[in-house]
Amino acid sequence: MTDVKTLADRIEDLLPQTQCTKCGYPACRPYAEAVASGAASYNQCPPGGAEGIARLAALLGKPVIPLNSANGVERARPLAVIDEQLCIGCTLCMQACPVDAIVGAPKQMHTVIAGLCTGCDLCVPPCPVDCIATPAVTGDATGWAAWSQSQADAARLRHDRRVARLARERDAAEARAAVRRAAGATSHGAEPASASTAAPAAPATDDAEAKKRAIIQAALERARKKKEEMAAKGLGPLNTENVSAAVQAQIDAAEARRRRLDLGNADSDDKRGTGQPSGAPNNPR
């Protein structure tokens, strides 16, 4: 086990650390461990390209083989760019970015820090309004020629820090939930004093929700028009294959929230066709 771990460390050092998941694993480290254990081949990293395969082959004492086309193609490094006019501030791209290269806040415009972006494409699929493009920025340079060791080292550090931060946030959330459960169990059977104080806030909450719905609906309408224009030109979302389960779960959650708020384009069109008011709930129960 010690030898496999040491080999995994050496393999990880040769990976570009884009954390793109194109290899079929959630990050570079799990892929390195899979290669070390023999569970994965050493030709599954498109960002590393032919040179990356040659580096791994030399380490493993194996022949140089072509990149597995099922994992993608070697290409110039892309850079994520957010169309700020269409961004609705949903934060899904921030949640998907493996190296914290996107900054913003809920319901506020997001932007990509160009110097930190690894070109992983993971922010594209979860965007509900398709406002993220990934143009190539390295010309004819591909693979390791489009990426440096210092960039790889910095990306790995940011990824590891993000993983640690998310773990701390999960632990804190679980601790808060445990406290709430304990408080609820302690007060069970007692008269809920907070109920009467919470009731007057309902109208203000309703107004805030209505305003939020109107803002998001307007943004989605603008995005829908742009999508129609792109579809007419034969264009569509880029690089949406090999989406991880975690990112797919974020997409599903966003779509569920939009359906609950009656913001889905298809749902709204259906309801207009049937005469059901657009603000009516999806489930009459």
Side-chain angles (χ1 to χ4, degrees):
M1 180 62 70
T2 301
D3 291 340
V4 171
K5 184 71 172 180
T6 301
L7 180 58
D9 289 337
R10 296 168 67 190
I11 292 172
E12 185 182 16
D13 290 340
L14 298 178
L15 297 177
Q17 303 299 320
T18 56
Q19 316 297 339
C20 66
T21 76
K22 290 180 173 62
C23 61
Y25 292 84
C28 294
R29 178 65 193 191
Y31 175 53
E33 293 174 347
V35 174
S37 67
S41 179
Y42 53 97
N43 67 336
Q44 297 176 201
C45 176
E51 182 178 342
I53 294 172
R55 293 182 183 187
L56 293 173
L59 171 66
L60 299 171
K62 295 185 177 183
V64 175
I65 56 178
L67 175 68
N68 188 340
S69 60
N71 298 105
V73 296
E74 180 176 349
R75 58 175 181 163
R77 180 168 59 86
L79 171 68
V81 179
I82 296 176
D83 186 334
E84 298 173 352
Q85 297 299 316
L86 296 179
C87 177
I88 62 173
C90 69
T91 76
L92 291 181
C93 60
M94 293 174 60
Q95 297 174 44
C97 180
V99 293
D100 285 338
I102 302 177
V103 295
K107 296 187 287 185
Q108 308 243 352
M109 179 196 71
H110 300 348
T111 190
V112 178
I113 303 174
L116 304 184
C117 177
T118 65
C120 69
D121 299 323
L122 291 177
C123 59
V124 175
C127 178
V129 293
D130 296 328
C131 71
I132 303 177
T134 54
V137 294
T138 58
D140 294 332
T142 66
W144 271 105
W147 194 240
S148 68
Q149 187 61 54
S150 62
Q151 287 174 309
D153 294 341
R156 172 158 50 170
L157 179 60
R158 291 195 305 275
H159 175 263
D160 291 348
R161 286 177 174 173
R162 178 178 184 272
V163 170
R165 172 175 57 79
L166 293 178
R168 291 194 302 270
E169 291 174 353
R170 283 193 298 269
D171 292 343
E174 291 173 1
R176 290 193 297 269
V179 171
R180 287 195 298 269
R181 287 194 298 269
T186 301
S187 61
H188 182 67
E191 182 178 353
S194 60
S196 59
T197 58
T205 301
D206 292 342
D207 290 344
E209 286 297 321
K211 183 177 180 180
K212 179 172 71 173
R213 283 164 55 102
I215 293 173
I216 296 177
Q217 183 64 60
L220 287 171
E221 184 62 26
R222 291 195 301 271
R224 179 168 62 171
K225 289 180 180 179
K226 182 176 181 181
K227 285 182 66 175
E228 291 173 351
E229 293 173 359
M230 294 177 66
K233 297 177 182 178
L235 302 175
L238 305 174
N239 306 306
T240 58
E241 297 181 357
N242 299 322
V243 178
S244 70
V247 171
Q248 186 61 53
Q250 293 171 355
I251 298 173
D252 295 341
E255 289 301 316
R257 288 195 296 271
R258 292 170 62 196
R259 285 193 296 270
R260 286 198 300 272
L261 292 173
D262 189 26
L263 295 177
N265 294 332
D267 290 347
S268 297
D269 291 340
D270 291 343
K271 289 176 181 177
R272 281 194 292 270
T274 59
Q276 182 178 357
S278 61
N282 293 330
N283 188 336
R285 295 177 294 177

